[in-house]
Amino acid sequence: MDHLTKSKQLQMLYEYREQLRKEPRLKFLFFELTMRCNERCLHCGSSCGDVKCDEIPVEKYYEILDRVKRDFDPLPMLCITGGEPLLRREFFDILSYADKLGFKWGMTSNGTLITPEIAKKLYETGMKTISVSIDGLEQTHDSFRRTPGGYKKAVEGIKNLLEYDFQAVQVTSVITKKSLPELPELFALMEELDVHSWRVINIEPIGRALQLEGYALEKNDYRRLFNFIRSKRAEGYPVTYGCSHYLGLDYEKELRDWYFICNSGVYTASIMANGDIGGCLDIERREETIQGNIYKDDFTDVWKNRFEIFRTPLYEKNEKCRWCESRYFCGGGAYHSWDYDRNSQMVCFKDILF
């Protein structure tokens, strides 16, 4: 697709996004069931692991689901995450209730707990989609996730899932300096497994990754990664980049099926393990990004009347962004990679890709 056509479509998206800021539509509601995890990933955005954490009581989830069922039509898709959500003892109680109310739901998982019995139960409880993490070949993956044997268990989990007719069994790979050379072999693994899609993303400056050295991609690494994704898509393979960033006219619509738009606060809301209400779960958790708490606030009211921080273009907060010629297409970038202390974007592909 030529640049002129893309520019026209991006202008239309800008106008749509401006309207969406005034009239948001809740399409995805994330439930962070727990912060506990059986892995200790070096890059974890939420710093999950063997931690003590608050967990919303089952009855409160029922109350929230009843309220959302009453107030939203069509119903948002439930996106279940953690930590490792399968560590939540009442996981199937919560999701069975959601299924009976008519919610569609999917989840993210490290895959290590998905035995044949669990895969069957997920199918019977109405799960539609799942994304399982594979972040490199065996040694790289296990080292990155600090979990010996994690790779083999995740691969077995994926195979168990593929025994059932889910709408989508996806693998997500976080690519770093360490795993970038393994892309061809990872692609061969995805072909062998025959997963429905492979979502390839770069490591992000969030959570533990902020203190991680030697893993971030550099300019030539990004080009290598994106050219790899583009070439596989051109060959017809279901490989996609994530939703994270604006890629410029050369790469937009080439690496994924849609143009960049940050969904936080306009399509997406989250309820965190401690009851806090926010946008995308990857966003830094601080006073201005937390919009309320389900123990003292009504979720519907919060969605309709708060979230102003996510419904205001980020480029308005930064002098350099304010005068950038791409500002209407990128909106100032993703909210999860924004530096809220300096009011600047930590990930911008201007001067890297375009």
Side-chain angles (χ1 to χ4, degrees):
M1 188 183 296
D2 61 79
H3 283 197
L4 181 59
T5 302
K6 287 183 179 181
S7 294
K8 289 179 178 178
Q9 292 181 350
L10 282 163
Q11 179 62 35
M12 293 171 62
L13 178 60
Y14 161 72
E15 293 167 2
Y16 172 75
R17 186 168 55 219
E18 289 302 291
Q19 186 61 34
L20 199 58
R21 296 185 197 280
K22 300 172 186 175
E23 300 175 8
R25 297 168 51 205
L26 184 63
K27 296 177 70 172
F28 305 103
L29 177 56
F30 282 76
F31 282 175
E32 184 182 63
L33 294 190
T34 183
M35 295 284 282
R36 292 180 292 121
C37 189
N38 58 333
E39 296 194 322
R40 311 288 182 274
C41 304
L42 291 173
H43 68 302
C44 182
S46 303
S47 299
C48 298
D50 186 15
V51 297
K52 293 183 179 179
C53 72
D54 297 323
E55 293 181 350
I56 299 171
V58 175
E59 292 74 22
K60 190 65 177 177
Y61 275 118
Y62 295 165
E63 180 185 319
I64 295 166
L65 289 165
D66 287 338
R67 178 73 173 178
V68 174
K69 168 79 171 178
R70 188 190 77 184
D71 293 345
F72 293 87
D73 184 21
L75 292 177
M77 176 148 184
L78 298 179
C79 305
I80 308 304
T81 185
E84 170 50 53
L86 286 170
L87 286 176
R88 180 65 193 257
R89 184 166 52 87
E90 305 92 347
F91 177 94
F92 287 105
D93 296 325
I94 297 166
L95 275 308
S96 292
Y97 191 78
D99 183 52
K100 289 173 184 176
L101 289 180
F103 285 91
K104 293 181 179 180
W105 67 277
M107 68 180 288
T108 58
S109 171
N110 60 39
T112 62
L113 303 178
I114 301 177
T115 61
E117 295 74 23
I118 292 295
K120 180 174 185 290
K121 200 165 183 180
L122 289 169
Y123 184 75
E124 293 171 344
T125 311
M127 186 180 77
K128 305 300 181 188
T129 65
I130 185 168
S131 185
V132 177
S133 297
I134 298 286
D135 293 324
L137 299 179
E138 184 171 0
Q139 184 176 349
T140 304
H141 175 94
D142 287 356
S143 174
F144 191 52
R145 292 185 160 258
R146 294 190 286 184
T147 308
Y151 174 88
K152 288 181 178 178
K153 289 180 181 178
V155 170
E156 282 304 307
I158 293 165
K159 290 178 180 178
N160 293 333
L161 290 164
L162 289 168
E163 291 294 317
Y164 296 90
D165 189 26
F166 294 108
Q167 286 182 8
V169 175
Q170 179 185 75
V171 170
T172 293
S173 297
V174 176
I175 300 301
T176 71
K177 274 275 193 186
K178 313 287 185 182
S179 59
L180 186 64
E182 299 175 348
L183 279 173
E185 292 167 282
L186 282 171
F187 173 74
L189 172 66
M190 301 309 147
E191 270 202 301
E192 179 186 342
L193 291 172
D194 197 22
V195 294
H196 299 133
S197 66
W198 183 27
R199 180 172 172 260
V200 184
I201 59 178
N202 51 275
I203 188 169
E204 294 283 316
I206 58 176
R208 291 190 186 121
L210 287 167
Q211 282 75 49
L212 197 57
E213 295 183 359
Y215 284 81
L217 301 183
E218 298 175 4
K219 182 175 181 176
N220 289 336
D221 299 327
Y222 281 118
R223 287 190 170 274
R224 179 178 173 184
L225 173 63
F226 294 153
N227 287 335
F228 174 86
I229 297 171
R230 181 160 60 182
S231 69
K232 294 305 179 186
R233 287 176 62 83
E235 294 170 12
Y237 293 104
V239 183
T240 184
Y241 182 60
C243 62
S244 298
H245 305 292
Y246 175 68
L247 305 175
L249 294 177
D250 283 344
Y251 287 97
E252 278 294 327
K253 207 79 183 292
E254 307 290 326
L255 306 190
R256 54 194 169 208
D257 295 336
W258 60 93
Y259 290 109
F260 168 71
I261 177 174
C262 187
N263 293 329
S264 186
V266 291
Y267 279 155
T268 298
S270 300
I271 297 176
M272 302 168 203
N274 66 351
D276 282 344
I277 301 168
C280 168
L281 283 170
D282 286 337
I283 294 170
E284 183 182 356
R285 301 174 189 192
R286 47 194 290 157
E287 184 177 356
E288 64 266 44
T289 60
I290 301 300
Q291 303 302 293
N293 187 285
I294 53 96
Y295 292 112
K296 60 184 180 65
D297 299 302
D298 175 74
F299 174 78
T300 304
D301 179 67
V302 171
W303 173 255
K304 290 182 176 179
N305 298 306
R306 302 187 192 178
F307 283 89
E308 182 179 356
I309 188 173
F310 303 121
R311 295 168 188 169
T312 303
L314 284 172
Y315 64 76
E316 293 184 0
K317 303 175 184 291
N318 179 276
E319 188 68 19
K320 181 179 178 181
C321 293
R322 192 179 297 125
W323 300 106
C324 176
E325 64 271 18
S326 300
R327 65 189 181 279
Y328 296 136
F329 294 168
C330 78
Y335 285 87
H336 76 269
S337 56
W338 188 257
D339 186 325
Y340 291 89
D341 290 317
R342 296 178 176 84
N343 271 328
S344 62
Q345 184 56 250
M346 292 186 285
V347 180
C348 176
F349 287 121
K350 184 173 167 48
D351 300 325
I352 295 178
L353 301 179
F354 61 96

